[in-house]
Amino acid sequence: MARASFAWDNQPNPLARTLRTLFDTRVLRVARVISTTDGPGPSLGYAGPPDGITKLLKMIDRQRERMGADTLRHDRADVRAGRIFAARELPDADLVAVTGTPAQLAALPAGPALLLPYRLHALVETGDPAWRGRVSRSERQWAQPRIARQGLRIEQAYDDASFGFFFDRVHLPTMRNRHGDRARSESRLRAYEGLFRPGALLFVTNGRQRLAGALASCSADGRRLTPRLGGVLEGSAQLHSAGMLRLLYFLLLDWAERQGVARVDLSGVEAWVASGLYGYKRRFSPQLEPPPDHRANLAVWWHARRDTPQVRDFLVRNPVLERTGAGTLRAVYFHDLRRPARHDIPFACANVRERRDVDLDDFLADVPTGVDIV
């Protein structure tokens, strides 16, 4: 049952992907959530499949908290999908993200809004020996001496005891210590049945001790490796601050190349390029591609419902990736007379090079200050 549940959430089969999308966006009720703050930030709204509360809304919450505005609470209601996509029950928030299929989102007002990918996966072509040269120079100069000095290497494990060690002493403590109630993970049974049994369990070891680890899924042909769960021993703050998870990624790529794995999927990122996860994964110059599961069928309508100083601050500080009419990705940087575009926040990846700047006075022209447009 656990394996079937995992497959339902991560199935690459086209028919299964279509069915899952149909259930999530048309059959089942969708979540409508308003995230409020008592600090200097905008209220945030989300509507769509509940998966997006964890994968999208909580990430945007973190970006708002970086502005000094702590999240006060989430107010959730489950509503009929049709009422969301008819713009009848949108979240009453300053900035709103609605997740659905592109066809559903096309029925929502065209502006002021952007169409963003719901989820992207960052892939490194380890079958091409030139992958190392594409990793940022600073990352290579940081990682390689530390790996050599500490004698670090990848060790693959196959036994149940090693799975238990990883899940209980590496993964769970790390998630608990680093993310608290925002932790995103799998249950122990789903991790065992859906990842460990068909996948690969990999540890970073110095020859004496396992210091970090990752549980990865493998494609049916063995040519694609996707680390899904990870962590450091006992969730150690010392190992984390020493960059052990950064070293884990670098070692995984090296190991994958030696094992003949053509592509390492560094897993998901969202379209907000100022997030720490996006910023870190782009150091490996990955290709950004749709995920292999049903989430590839989804997009995000990113909408400014009110024009306030807090909305403008947030949009300027958080550039995004939009889908162009040609289906490519393009970075969008907002600005106005008082707030210059934050070009110091890098976005470029192997297949993402284009950007455009958007004047907020134009973007928000039809939004009365502090008043709903929809």
Side-chain angles (χ1 to χ4, degrees), residues 31-65:
R32 185 187 64 195
V33 186
I34 298 172
S35 173
T36 55
T37 178
D38 56 2
S43 59
L44 302 171
Y46 171 78
D51 178 69
I53 299 173
T54 300
K55 285 192 166 56
L56 198 156
L57 180 60
K58 291 185 178 181
M59 181 277 300
I60 306 173
D61 280 344
R62 285 195 296 272
Q63 297 306 104
R64 182 178 59 187
E65 288 165 8

PDB file of all heavy atoms in Angstrom, residues 31-65:
ATOM      1  N   ALA A  31      -7.555  23.675  -1.664  1.00  0.00           N
ATOM      2  CA  ALA A  31      -7.324  24.466  -0.457  1.00  0.00           C
ATOM      3  C   ALA A  31      -7.288  25.952  -0.809  1.00  0.00           C
ATOM      4  O   ALA A  31      -6.744  26.343  -1.856  1.00  0.00           O
ATOM      5  CB  ALA A  31      -6.006  24.059   0.190  1.00  0.00           C
ATOM      6  N   ARG A  32      -7.867  26.743   0.064  1.00  0.00           N
ATOM      7  CA  ARG A  32      -7.738  28.205  -0.020  1.00  0.00           C
ATOM      8  C   ARG A  32      -7.173  28.671   1.322  1.00  0.00           C
ATOM      9  O   ARG A  32      -7.786  28.470   2.364  1.00  0.00           O
ATOM     10  CB  ARG A  32      -9.095  28.859  -0.278  1.00  0.00           C
ATOM     11  CG  ARG A  32      -9.003  30.379  -0.487  1.00  0.00           C
ATOM     12  CD  ARG A  32     -10.385  30.994  -0.558  1.00  0.00           C
ATOM     13  NE  ARG A  32     -11.099  30.839   0.710  1.00  0.00           N
ATOM     14  CZ  ARG A  32     -12.403  31.011   0.856  1.00  0.00           C
ATOM     15  NH1 ARG A  32     -13.154  31.325  -0.190  1.00  0.00           N
ATOM     16  NH2 ARG A  32     -12.987  30.866   2.032  1.00  0.00           N
ATOM     17  N   VAL A  33      -5.995  29.289   1.278  1.00  0.00           N
ATOM     18  CA  VAL A  33      -5.275  29.622   2.503  1.00  0.00           C
ATOM     19  C   VAL A  33      -4.864  31.084   2.474  1.00  0.00           C
ATOM     20  O   VAL A  33      -4.400  31.597   1.444  1.00  0.00           O
ATOM     21  CB  VAL A  33      -4.008  28.743   2.673  1.00  0.00           C
ATOM     22  CG1 VAL A  33      -3.348  29.012   4.022  1.00  0.00           C
ATOM     23  CG2 VAL A  33      -4.352  27.270   2.522  1.00  0.00           C
ATOM     24  N   ILE A  34      -5.014  31.755   3.609  1.00  0.00           N
ATOM     25  CA  ILE A  34      -4.522  33.116   3.780  1.00  0.00           C
ATOM     26  C   ILE A  34      -3.455  33.088   4.870  1.00  0.00           C
ATOM     27  O   ILE A  34      -3.703  32.609   5.985  1.00  0.00           O
ATOM     28  CB  ILE A  34      -5.650  34.089   4.156  1.00  0.00           C
ATOM     29  CG1 ILE A  34      -6.696  34.138   3.042  1.00  0.00           C
ATOM     30  CG2 ILE A  34      -5.092  35.489   4.418  1.00  0.00           C
ATOM     31  CD1 ILE A  34      -7.935  34.918   3.400  1.00  0.00           C
ATOM     32  N   SER A  35      -2.268  33.564   4.533  1.00  0.00           N
ATOM     33  CA  SER A  35      -1.148  33.613   5.468  1.00  0.00           C
ATOM     34  C   SER A  35      -0.956  35.058   5.916  1.00  0.00           C
ATOM     35  O   SER A  35      -0.630  35.935   5.105  1.00  0.00           O
ATOM     36  CB  SER A  35       0.121  33.094   4.793  1.00  0.00           C
ATOM     37  OG  SER A  35       1.247  33.282   5.633  1.00  0.00           O
ATOM     38  N   THR A  36      -1.172  35.295   7.204  1.00  0.00           N
ATOM     39  CA  THR A  36      -1.093  36.652   7.729  1.00  0.00           C
ATOM     40  C   THR A  36       0.185  36.849   8.537  1.00  0.00           C
ATOM     41  O   THR A  36       0.813  35.899   8.995  1.00  0.00           O
ATOM     42  CB  THR A  36      -2.305  36.971   8.610  1.00  0.00           C
ATOM     43  OG1 THR A  36      -2.418  35.975   9.636  1.00  0.00           O
ATOM     44  CG2 THR A  36      -3.577  36.984   7.792  1.00  0.00           C
ATOM     45  N   THR A  37       0.543  38.113   8.720  1.00  0.00           N
ATOM     46  CA  THR A  37       1.750  38.469   9.455  1.00  0.00           C
ATOM     47  C   THR A  37       1.457  39.666  10.341  1.00  0.00           C
ATOM     48  O   THR A  37       0.556  40.461  10.050  1.00  0.00           O
ATOM     49  CB  THR A  37       2.900  38.804   8.486  1.00  0.00           C
ATOM     50  OG1 THR A  37       4.059  39.184   9.228  1.00  0.00           O
ATOM     51  CG2 THR A  37       2.528  39.946   7.549  1.00  0.00           C
ATOM     52  N   ASP A  38       2.232  39.790  11.413  1.00  0.00           N
ATOM     53  CA  ASP A  38       2.116  40.988  12.250  1.00  0.00           C
ATOM     54  C   ASP A  38       3.309  41.907  12.045  1.00  0.00           C
ATOM     55  O   ASP A  38       3.551  42.823  12.824  1.00  0.00           O
ATOM     56  CB  ASP A  38       2.004  40.604  13.731  1.00  0.00           C
ATOM     57  CG  ASP A  38       3.172  39.742  14.195  1.00  0.00           C
ATOM     58  OD1 ASP A  38       4.077  39.477  13.372  1.00  0.00           O
ATOM     59  OD2 ASP A  38       3.181  39.338  15.372  1.00  0.00           O
ATOM     60  N   GLY A  39       4.065  41.635  10.963  1.00  0.00           N
ATOM     61  CA  GLY A  39       5.248  42.434  10.672  1.00  0.00           C
ATOM     62  C   GLY A  39       5.107  43.225   9.394  1.00  0.00           C
ATOM     63  O   GLY A  39       4.019  43.298   8.801  1.00  0.00           O
ATOM     64  N   PRO A  40       6.209  43.807   8.904  1.00  0.00           N
ATOM     65  CA  PRO A  40       6.171  44.676   7.717  1.00  0.00           C
ATOM     66  C   PRO A  40       6.201  43.900   6.408  1.00  0.00           C
ATOM     67  O   PRO A  40       7.132  44.012   5.624  1.00  0.00           O
ATOM     68  CB  PRO A  40       7.442  45.517   7.884  1.00  0.00           C
ATOM     69  CG  PRO A  40       8.396  44.581   8.573  1.00  0.00           C
ATOM     70  CD  PRO A  40       7.555  43.748   9.509  1.00  0.00           C
ATOM     71  N   GLY A  41       5.188  43.121   6.181  1.00  0.00           N
ATOM     72  CA  GLY A  41       5.135  42.351   4.949  1.00  0.00           C
ATOM     73  C   GLY A  41       3.712  42.206   4.470  1.00  0.00           C
ATOM     74  O   GLY A  41       2.762  42.433   5.222  1.00  0.00           O
ATOM     75  N   PRO A  42       3.517  41.799   3.225  1.00  0.00           N
ATOM     76  CA  PRO A  42       2.167  41.644   2.681  1.00  0.00           C
ATOM     77  C   PRO A  42       1.509  40.368   3.189  1.00  0.00           C
ATOM     78  O   PRO A  42       2.191  39.403   3.568  1.00  0.00           O
ATOM     79  CB  PRO A  42       2.413  41.558   1.171  1.00  0.00           C
ATOM     80  CG  PRO A  42       3.768  40.922   1.071  1.00  0.00           C
ATOM     81  CD  PRO A  42       4.557  41.463   2.230  1.00  0.00           C
ATOM     82  N   SER A  43       0.179  40.338   3.198  1.00  0.00           N
ATOM     83  CA  SER A  43      -0.512  39.072   3.412  1.00  0.00           C
ATOM     84  C   SER A  43      -0.382  38.250   2.136  1.00  0.00           C
ATOM     85  O   SER A  43      -0.309  38.784   1.025  1.00  0.00           O
ATOM     86  CB  SER A  43      -1.979  39.314   3.771  1.00  0.00           C
ATOM     87  OG  SER A  43      -2.639  40.033   2.747  1.00  0.00           O
ATOM     88  N   LEU A  44      -0.338  36.930   2.307  1.00  0.00           N
ATOM     89  CA  LEU A  44      -0.125  36.022   1.190  1.00  0.00           C
ATOM     90  C   LEU A  44      -1.290  35.048   1.090  1.00  0.00           C
ATOM     91  O   LEU A  44      -1.808  34.579   2.111  1.00  0.00           O
ATOM     92  CB  LEU A  44       1.177  35.233   1.376  1.00  0.00           C
ATOM     93  CG  LEU A  44       2.454  36.065   1.519  1.00  0.00           C
ATOM     94  CD1 LEU A  44       3.628  35.181   1.911  1.00  0.00           C
ATOM     95  CD2 LEU A  44       2.756  36.810   0.213  1.00  0.00           C
ATOM     96  N   GLY A  45      -1.705  34.746  -0.110  1.00  0.00           N
ATOM     97  CA  GLY A  45      -2.793  33.806  -0.318  1.00  0.00           C
ATOM     98  C   GLY A  45      -2.375  32.682  -1.233  1.00  0.00           C
ATOM     99  O   GLY A  45      -1.538  32.863  -2.129  1.00  0.00           O
ATOM    100  N   TYR A  46      -2.957  31.511  -0.995  1.00  0.00           N
ATOM    101  CA  TYR A  46      -2.722  30.364  -1.874  1.00  0.00           C
ATOM    102  C   TYR A  46      -4.046  29.666  -2.123  1.00  0.00           C
ATOM    103  O   TYR A  46      -4.872  29.513  -1.205  1.00  0.00           O
ATOM    104  CB  TYR A  46      -1.744  29.359  -1.261  1.00  0.00           C
ATOM    105  CG  TYR A  46      -1.671  28.079  -2.069  1.00  0.00           C
ATOM    106  CD1 TYR A  46      -0.937  28.029  -3.247  1.00  0.00           C
ATOM    107  CD2 TYR A  46      -2.396  26.951  -1.698  1.00  0.00           C
ATOM    108  CE1 TYR A  46      -0.914  26.878  -4.028  1.00  0.00           C
ATOM    109  CE2 TYR A  46      -2.374  25.791  -2.471  1.00  0.00           C
ATOM    110  CZ  TYR A  46      -1.626  25.759  -3.627  1.00  0.00           C
ATOM    111  OH  TYR A  46      -1.605  24.630  -4.412  1.00  0.00           O
ATOM    112  N   ALA A  47      -4.248  29.204  -3.356  1.00  0.00           N
ATOM    113  CA  ALA A  47      -5.400  28.376  -3.688  1.00  0.00           C
ATOM    114  C   ALA A  47      -4.954  27.322  -4.692  1.00  0.00           C
ATOM    115  O   ALA A  47      -4.244  27.626  -5.653  1.00  0.00           O
ATOM    116  CB  ALA A  47      -6.539  29.208  -4.266  1.00  0.00           C
ATOM    117  N   GLY A  48      -5.368  26.082  -4.438  1.00  0.00           N
ATOM    118  CA  GLY A  48      -4.997  24.994  -5.325  1.00  0.00           C
ATOM    119  C   GLY A  48      -4.882  23.692  -4.569  1.00  0.00           C
ATOM    120  O   GLY A  48      -5.295  23.587  -3.407  1.00  0.00           O
ATOM    121  N   PRO A  49      -4.303  22.654  -5.180  1.00  0.00           N
ATOM    122  CA  PRO A  49      -4.117  21.379  -4.495  1.00  0.00           C
ATOM    123  C   PRO A  49      -3.342  21.570  -3.187  1.00  0.00           C
ATOM    124  O   PRO A  49      -2.413  22.391  -3.122  1.00  0.00           O
ATOM    125  CB  PRO A  49      -3.304  20.555  -5.509  1.00  0.00           C
ATOM    126  CG  PRO A  49      -3.652  21.144  -6.840  1.00  0.00           C
ATOM    127  CD  PRO A  49      -3.836  22.609  -6.589  1.00  0.00           C
ATOM    128  N   PRO A  50      -3.692  20.829  -2.136  1.00  0.00           N
ATOM    129  CA  PRO A  50      -3.036  21.006  -0.834  1.00  0.00           C
ATOM    130  C   PRO A  50      -1.525  20.820  -0.869  1.00  0.00           C
ATOM    131  O   PRO A  50      -0.805  21.385  -0.043  1.00  0.00           O
ATOM    132  CB  PRO A  50      -3.703  19.941   0.044  1.00  0.00           C
ATOM    133  CG  PRO A  50      -5.042  19.741  -0.572  1.00  0.00           C
ATOM    134  CD  PRO A  50      -4.838  19.892  -2.058  1.00  0.00           C
ATOM    135  N   ASP A  51      -1.023  20.054  -1.832  1.00  0.00           N
ATOM    136  CA  ASP A  51       0.412  19.874  -2.013  1.00  0.00           C
ATOM    137  C   ASP A  51       1.138  21.221  -2.060  1.00  0.00           C
ATOM    138  O   ASP A  51       2.270  21.363  -1.592  1.00  0.00           O
ATOM    139  CB  ASP A  51       0.634  19.090  -3.315  1.00  0.00           C
ATOM    140  CG  ASP A  51       2.096  18.870  -3.667  1.00  0.00           C
ATOM    141  OD1 ASP A  51       2.756  18.103  -2.965  1.00  0.00           O
ATOM    142  OD2 ASP A  51       2.554  19.468  -4.661  1.00  0.00           O
ATOM    143  N   GLY A  52       0.470  22.234  -2.612  1.00  0.00           N
ATOM    144  CA  GLY A  52       1.100  23.540  -2.770  1.00  0.00           C
ATOM    145  C   GLY A  52       1.259  24.324  -1.479  1.00  0.00           C
ATOM    146  O   GLY A  52       2.033  25.278  -1.428  1.00  0.00           O
ATOM    147  N   ILE A  53       0.525  23.944  -0.425  1.00  0.00           N
ATOM    148  CA  ILE A  53       0.713  24.633   0.860  1.00  0.00           C
ATOM    149  C   ILE A  53       2.133  24.412   1.347  1.00  0.00           C
ATOM    150  O   ILE A  53       2.819  25.340   1.790  1.00  0.00           O
ATOM    151  CB  ILE A  53      -0.312  24.136   1.900  1.00  0.00           C
ATOM    152  CG1 ILE A  53      -1.731  24.427   1.426  1.00  0.00           C
ATOM    153  CG2 ILE A  53      -0.053  24.788   3.256  1.00  0.00           C
ATOM    154  CD1 ILE A  53      -2.803  23.808   2.319  1.00  0.00           C
ATOM    155  N   THR A  54       2.584  23.162   1.259  1.00  0.00           N
ATOM    156  CA  THR A  54       3.939  22.833   1.701  1.00  0.00           C
ATOM    157  C   THR A  54       4.981  23.259   0.692  1.00  0.00           C
ATOM    158  O   THR A  54       5.990  23.866   1.042  1.00  0.00           O
ATOM    159  CB  THR A  54       4.042  21.317   1.955  1.00  0.00           C
ATOM    160  OG1 THR A  54       3.099  20.948   2.955  1.00  0.00           O
ATOM    161  CG2 THR A  54       5.442  20.948   2.425  1.00  0.00           C
ATOM    162  N   LYS A  55       4.748  22.944  -0.570  1.00  0.00           N
ATOM    163  CA  LYS A  55       5.787  23.171  -1.572  1.00  0.00           C
ATOM    164  C   LYS A  55       5.904  24.629  -1.984  1.00  0.00           C
ATOM    165  O   LYS A  55       6.978  25.067  -2.399  1.00  0.00           O
ATOM    166  CB  LYS A  55       5.529  22.306  -2.802  1.00  0.00           C
ATOM    167  CG  LYS A  55       5.867  20.832  -2.579  1.00  0.00           C
ATOM    168  CD  LYS A  55       5.874  20.065  -3.862  1.00  0.00           C
ATOM    169  CE  LYS A  55       6.547  18.710  -3.683  1.00  0.00           C
ATOM    170  NZ  LYS A  55       5.935  17.901  -2.629  1.00  0.00           N
ATOM    171  N   LEU A  56       4.830  25.400  -1.880  1.00  0.00           N
ATOM    172  CA  LEU A  56       4.854  26.757  -2.412  1.00  0.00           C
ATOM    173  C   LEU A  56       4.613  27.813  -1.332  1.00  0.00           C
ATOM    174  O   LEU A  56       5.451  28.682  -1.109  1.00  0.00           O
ATOM    175  CB  LEU A  56       3.823  26.874  -3.538  1.00  0.00           C
ATOM    176  CG  LEU A  56       3.940  28.037  -4.503  1.00  0.00           C
ATOM    177  CD1 LEU A  56       3.272  27.700  -5.823  1.00  0.00           C
ATOM    178  CD2 LEU A  56       3.320  29.287  -3.921  1.00  0.00           C
ATOM    179  N   LEU A  57       3.474  27.730  -0.641  1.00  0.00           N
ATOM    180  CA  LEU A  57       3.121  28.787   0.302  1.00  0.00           C
ATOM    181  C   LEU A  57       4.141  28.926   1.423  1.00  0.00           C
ATOM    182  O   LEU A  57       4.534  30.040   1.781  1.00  0.00           O
ATOM    183  CB  LEU A  57       1.725  28.542   0.882  1.00  0.00           C
ATOM    184  CG  LEU A  57       1.240  29.584   1.900  1.00  0.00           C
ATOM    185  CD1 LEU A  57       1.187  30.979   1.283  1.00  0.00           C
ATOM    186  CD2 LEU A  57      -0.131  29.198   2.457  1.00  0.00           C
ATOM    187  N   LYS A  58       4.585  27.822   1.997  1.00  0.00           N
ATOM    188  CA  LYS A  58       5.535  27.916   3.104  1.00  0.00           C
ATOM    189  C   LYS A  58       6.882  28.475   2.641  1.00  0.00           C
ATOM    190  O   LYS A  58       7.579  29.132   3.408  1.00  0.00           O
ATOM    191  CB  LYS A  58       5.694  26.557   3.782  1.00  0.00           C
ATOM    192  CG  LYS A  58       4.448  26.127   4.543  1.00  0.00           C
ATOM    193  CD  LYS A  58       4.660  24.831   5.307  1.00  0.00           C
ATOM    194  CE  LYS A  58       3.414  24.451   6.094  1.00  0.00           C
ATOM    195  NZ  LYS A  58       3.600  23.200   6.870  1.00  0.00           N
ATOM    196  N   MET A  59       7.230  28.228   1.380  1.00  0.00           N
ATOM    197  CA  MET A  59       8.438  28.829   0.832  1.00  0.00           C
ATOM    198  C   MET A  59       8.283  30.338   0.718  1.00  0.00           C
ATOM    199  O   MET A  59       9.185  31.111   1.062  1.00  0.00           O
ATOM    200  CB  MET A  59       8.760  28.203  -0.528  1.00  0.00           C
ATOM    201  CG  MET A  59      10.021  28.731  -1.213  1.00  0.00           C
ATOM    202  SD  MET A  59       9.766  30.265  -2.134  1.00  0.00           S
ATOM    203  CE  MET A  59       8.527  29.747  -3.309  1.00  0.00           C
ATOM    204  N   ILE A  60       7.105  30.795   0.227  1.00  0.00           N
ATOM    205  CA  ILE A  60       6.877  32.233   0.117  1.00  0.00           C
ATOM    206  C   ILE A  60       6.827  32.868   1.513  1.00  0.00           C
ATOM    207  O   ILE A  60       7.300  33.989   1.717  1.00  0.00           O
ATOM    208  CB  ILE A  60       5.583  32.526  -0.666  1.00  0.00           C
ATOM    209  CG1 ILE A  60       5.590  31.837  -2.022  1.00  0.00           C
ATOM    210  CG2 ILE A  60       5.425  34.022  -0.891  1.00  0.00           C
ATOM    211  CD1 ILE A  60       4.281  31.956  -2.771  1.00  0.00           C
ATOM    212  N   ASP A  61       6.270  32.143   2.470  1.00  0.00           N
ATOM    213  CA  ASP A  61       6.299  32.617   3.867  1.00  0.00           C
ATOM    214  C   ASP A  61       7.725  32.912   4.306  1.00  0.00           C
ATOM    215  O   ASP A  61       8.007  33.940   4.936  1.00  0.00           O
ATOM    216  CB  ASP A  61       5.708  31.561   4.811  1.00  0.00           C
ATOM    217  CG  ASP A  61       4.188  31.543   4.846  1.00  0.00           C
ATOM    218  OD1 ASP A  61       3.560  32.529   4.396  1.00  0.00           O
ATOM    219  OD2 ASP A  61       3.631  30.550   5.338  1.00  0.00           O
ATOM    220  N   ARG A  62       8.633  31.990   3.987  1.00  0.00           N
ATOM    221  CA  ARG A  62      10.034  32.181   4.397  1.00  0.00           C
ATOM    222  C   ARG A  62      10.633  33.419   3.748  1.00  0.00           C
ATOM    223  O   ARG A  62      11.409  34.152   4.376  1.00  0.00           O
ATOM    224  CB  ARG A  62      10.867  30.944   4.043  1.00  0.00           C
ATOM    225  CG  ARG A  62      10.632  29.760   4.953  1.00  0.00           C
ATOM    226  CD  ARG A  62      11.714  28.713   4.789  1.00  0.00           C
ATOM    227  NE  ARG A  62      11.709  28.131   3.461  1.00  0.00           N
ATOM    228  CZ  ARG A  62      10.980  27.080   3.104  1.00  0.00           C
ATOM    229  NH1 ARG A  62      10.183  26.497   3.984  1.00  0.00           N
ATOM    230  NH2 ARG A  62      11.045  26.591   1.880  1.00  0.00           N
ATOM    231  N   GLN A  63      10.284  33.650   2.482  1.00  0.00           N
ATOM    232  CA  GLN A  63      10.798  34.842   1.818  1.00  0.00           C
ATOM    233  C   GLN A  63      10.272  36.110   2.493  1.00  0.00           C
ATOM    234  O   GLN A  63      10.994  37.100   2.617  1.00  0.00           O
ATOM    235  CB  GLN A  63      10.412  34.824   0.343  1.00  0.00           C
ATOM    236  CG  GLN A  63      11.017  33.668  -0.451  1.00  0.00           C
ATOM    237  CD  GLN A  63      12.523  33.609  -0.323  1.00  0.00           C
ATOM    238  OE1 GLN A  63      13.074  32.770   0.394  1.00  0.00           O
ATOM    239  NE2 GLN A  63      13.203  34.509  -1.001  1.00  0.00           N
ATOM    240  N   ARG A  64       9.024  36.091   2.930  1.00  0.00           N
ATOM    241  CA  ARG A  64       8.477  37.239   3.652  1.00  0.00           C
ATOM    242  C   ARG A  64       9.171  37.409   5.009  1.00  0.00           C
ATOM    243  O   ARG A  64       9.445  38.534   5.439  1.00  0.00           O
ATOM    244  CB  ARG A  64       6.973  37.060   3.847  1.00  0.00           C
ATOM    245  CG  ARG A  64       6.290  38.236   4.545  1.00  0.00           C
ATOM    246  CD  ARG A  64       4.791  38.013   4.658  1.00  0.00           C
ATOM    247  NE  ARG A  64       4.468  36.798   5.399  1.00  0.00           N
ATOM    248  CZ  ARG A  64       3.247  36.303   5.530  1.00  0.00           C
ATOM    249  NH1 ARG A  64       2.220  36.899   4.959  1.00  0.00           N
ATOM    250  NH2 ARG A  64       3.040  35.190   6.206  1.00  0.00           N
ATOM    251  N   GLU A  65       9.481  36.308   5.663  1.00  0.00           N
ATOM    252  CA  GLU A  65      10.153  36.393   6.964  1.00  0.00           C
ATOM    253  C   GLU A  65      11.542  37.004   6.842  1.00  0.00           C
ATOM    254  O   GLU A  65      12.041  37.634   7.785  1.00  0.00           O
ATOM    255  CB  GLU A  65      10.204  35.006   7.600  1.00  0.00           C
ATOM    256  CG  GLU A  65       8.827  34.553   8.092  1.00  0.00           C
ATOM    257  CD  GLU A  65       8.758  33.074   8.400  1.00  0.00           C
ATOM    258  OE1 GLU A  65       9.824  32.409   8.383  1.00  0.00           O
ATOM    259  OE2 GLU A  65       7.644  32.583   8.653  1.00  0.00           O
TER     260      GLU A  65
END
